[in-house]
Amino acid sequence: MAQSRRVERVAALIRKEISLLLKNGIRDHRITSAMITITDVEVSGDLQHCKIFVSIFGNENIKQQVFEGLEASQVFLKGELGRRLQ
């Protein structure tokens, strides 16, 4: 039971930090020009891996551009998230 509570706490913390990074930490215009919502965060039981699910508001062209921006920002987001969660 304590393990699942810890996973839930880490998922909530990741959601909060990723939201802050998307709002203030990324300078990519593809990401900052769109409305992105974190819909879910799934964390593995050993806390080594997570999946972040997003919803992007806009037409298909905007969604594609935002998704490309998010993929390009993956390394930055992982590194920054790792530093913030220490």
Side-chain angles (χ1 to χ4, degrees):
M1 203 53 139
Q3 172 88 10
S4 68
R5 241 181 291 148
R6 182 171 30 161
V7 170
E8 289 174 14
R9 267 198 328 250
V10 170
L13 186 58
I14 289 171
R15 177 189 297 242
K16 176 185 171 199
E17 292 298 331
I18 287 292
S19 294
L20 291 173
L21 283 169
L22 290 176
K23 184 177 177 184
N24 302 319
I26 295 180
R27 294 188 182 102
D28 190 327
H29 72 280
R30 295 174 293 188
I31 296 170
T32 57
S33 64
M35 190 169 105
I36 304 170
T37 303
I38 309 288
T39 57
D40 195 20
V41 176
E42 291 180 0
V43 179
S44 65
D46 62 359
L47 306 177
Q48 294 295 312
H49 302 281
C50 78
K51 288 183 183 179
I52 300 170
F53 298 88
V54 298
S55 175
I56 303 166
F57 183 74
N59 63 35
E60 288 304 313
N61 187 33
I62 291 173
K63 289 179 183 181
Q64 184 62 34
Q65 288 179 0
V66 171
F67 194 71
E68 289 170 2
L70 289 171
E71 284 184 329
S73 301
Q74 256 185 359
V75 173
F76 168 77
L77 290 170
K78 286 179 185 179
E80 194 62 29
L81 190 59
R83 281 187 283 284
R84 290 178 180 215
L85 295 182
Q86 290 268 328

